């Protein structure tokens, strides 16, 4: 399935639809992941995914679980479309006369796909993380203001931002570089992710193929996408923690700031220990598994080709 010939417009449509469906289903878990990863020793508000989601609903309402979802829903279409289409592009150009790719060439194709997608992923994650983590910072400040009964000035309120306000502020204060803060960490996460995911998916999916050249059934594609996605997600989770910490702009008063990837690694190891790099790993696996399983099923069903069939055909 992964190697069947699909037109570029169809690939872009498939990737976009898969991203929209996947994000809508798993966004609350992604919000929990961000908040759990940003917790530092001495400022723990949440003990687990369920605890985080319950407290979020109690303090921010049901739609509090979808803070930042608009950014993802807007940008996930080009992001997933670029990722999946780029992988197919590189696979086709690295294959020799349609023969099965070697593992090294599959990894190179995945590397190319991961490198291409960060054009969209970095600003999307930068904006999404600020919006997702705002509720955690607000809850932290409320707790501190309640504890300090005689602090002059009263409770501290967190100003609510929209994605457009954040974008304007970043562009005004830092230029385009502000939206691409954490680009290095994003590359360190997404390139290895794609190197692991795409070859693993292709090989798992081929095990369920119908005959030598037949495509695998859709349930095999879904299961292969889930297994490959969750495996790759957990493997790169330490870098995801680093990326989340670096891209977070607003922090609690007791929380560290970071000057880069190496500074972040050093401070996390010193203050929280190696186990901190696994924060949110379970959440991330739960997010990525269905996201990529759905993506592969959309590809299998040929949704993009179906929609394009309704467009008027141009006669040469």
């Amino acid at each position: 399935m992964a190697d069947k010939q699909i037109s570029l417009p169809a690939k872009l449509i498939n990737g976009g639809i898969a991203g929209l469906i996947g994000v809508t289903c798993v966004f609350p878990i992604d919000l929990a992941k961000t908040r759990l990863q940003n917790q530092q020793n001495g400022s723990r508000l949440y003990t687990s995914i369920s605890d985080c989601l319950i407290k979020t609903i109690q303090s921010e309402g049901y739609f509090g679980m979808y803070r930042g979802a608009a950014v993802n829903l807007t940008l996930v279409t080009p992001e997933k479309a670029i990722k999946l289409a780029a992988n197919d592009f590189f696979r086709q150009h690295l294959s020799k006369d349609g023969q099965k790719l070697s593992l090294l060439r599959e990894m190179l194709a995945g590397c190319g796909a991961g490198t291409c997608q960060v054009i969209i992923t970095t600003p999307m994650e930068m904006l999404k993380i600020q919006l997702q983590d705002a509720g955690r910072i607000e809850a932290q400040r409320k707790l501190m203001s309640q504890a300090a009964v005689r602090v002059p000035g009263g409770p501290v309120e967190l100003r609510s931002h929209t994605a457009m306000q954040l974008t304007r502020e970043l562009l005004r204060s830092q230029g385009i570089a502000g939206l691409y803060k954490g680009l290095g960490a994003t590359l360190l996460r997404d390139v290895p992710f794609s190197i692991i995911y795409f070859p693993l998916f292709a090989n798992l999916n081929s095990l369920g193929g119908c005959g030598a050249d037949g495509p695998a059934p859709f349930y095999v594609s879904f299961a292969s996408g889930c297994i490959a996605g969750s495996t790759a997600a957990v493997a790169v989770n330490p870098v995801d923690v680093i990326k989340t910490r670096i891209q977070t702009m607003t922090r609690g008063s007791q929380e560290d700031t970071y000057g880069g990837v190496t500074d972040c690694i050093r401070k996390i190891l010193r203050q929280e220990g190696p186990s901190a790099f696994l924060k949110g790993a379970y959440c991330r696996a739960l997010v990525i598994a269905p996201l990529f399983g759905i993506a592969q099923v959309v590809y299998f069903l040929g949704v993009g080709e179906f929609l394009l069939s309704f467009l008027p055909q141009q006669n040469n």
Side-chain angles (χ1 to χ4, degrees), residues 237-315:
N237 193 75
V239 190
D240 189 56
V241 173
I242 294 166
K243 184 198 73 66
T244 300
R245 296 281 184 95
I246 289 173
Q247 287 188 318
T248 301
M249 295 165 57
T250 306
R251 305 180 192 280
S253 59
Q254 305 293 319
E255 295 178 347
D256 285 329
T257 56
Y258 307 104
V261 173
T262 54
D263 182 54
C264 184
I265 294 171
R266 186 168 56 249
K267 286 181 178 177
I268 289 175
L269 285 172
R270 185 174 65 244
Q271 302 291 339
E272 304 169 65
S275 62
F277 290 110
L278 295 177
K279 284 184 176 180
Y282 183 52
C283 294
R284 186 161 164 76
L286 289 177
V287 168
I288 297 297
L291 196 61
F292 280 86
I294 291 167
Q296 298 301 343
V297 169
V298 169
Y299 258 58
F300 175 88
L301 295 175
V303 177
E305 299 94 307
F306 175 74
L307 293 176
L308 286 174
S309 70
F310 288 96
L311 295 177
Q313 300 295 317
Q314 291 183 347
N315 295 320

Side-chain angles (χ1 to χ4, degrees), residues 11 61 75 85-86 89 111 148 162 211 235 243 271 302:
K11 289 176 185 177
L75 295 179
F89 173 83
C111 178
T162 65
K243 184 198 73 66
Q271 302 291 339

Side-chain angles (χ1 to χ4, degrees), residues 179-198:
L179 289 172
Y180 281 88
K181 182 181 179 182
L183 175 62
T186 306
L187 277 167
L188 287 173
R189 182 196 67 172
D190 289 349
V191 171
F193 177 93
S194 295
I195 289 173
I196 296 168
Y197 171 77
F198 285 111

Side-chain angles (χ1 to χ4, degrees), residues 55-174:
K55 287 179 178 176
T56 298
I57 293 172
Q58 288 174 342
S59 61
E60 303 168 53
Y62 174 80
F63 290 105
M65 295 190 299
Y66 284 88
R67 275 196 178 192
V71 175
N72 251 36
L73 291 172
T74 302
L75 295 179
V76 75
T77 298
E79 189 233 12
K80 286 290 177 286
I82 288 172
K83 185 186 189 79
L84 296 173
N87 179 67
D88 278 359
F89 173 83
F90 287 118
R91 286 181 69 89
Q92 288 171 15
H93 281 74
L94 287 169
S95 65
K96 296 179 179 179
D97 301 324
Q99 293 180 357
K100 188 179 185 298
L101 290 175
S102 66
L103 180 60
L104 178 60
R105 287 175 180 265
E106 287 182 332
M107 293 172 70
L108 285 173
C111 178
T115 303
C116 290
Q117 80 170 83
V118 298
I119 298 169
I120 303 295
T121 304
T122 306
M124 178 182 76
E125 296 262 316
M126 181 69 188
L127 295 173
K128 182 196 72 171
I129 285 170
Q130 316 317 315
L131 297 169
Q132 285 183 327
D133 204 42
R136 183 185 70 89
I137 297 296
E138 185 173 10
Q140 219 177 74
R141 292 183 177 182
K142 283 180 179 177
L143 285 174
M144 289 179 64
S145 65
Q146 290 169 5
V149 180
R150 298 184 180 180
V151 174
V156 179
E157 293 295 330
L158 183 69
R159 188 158 57 94
S160 178
H161 286 85
T162 65
M164 287 303 299
Q165 288 172 334
L166 281 169
T167 302
R168 283 195 294 267
E169 285 182 17
L170 285 168
L171 290 173
R172 184 170 58 249
S173 61
Q174 302 175 42

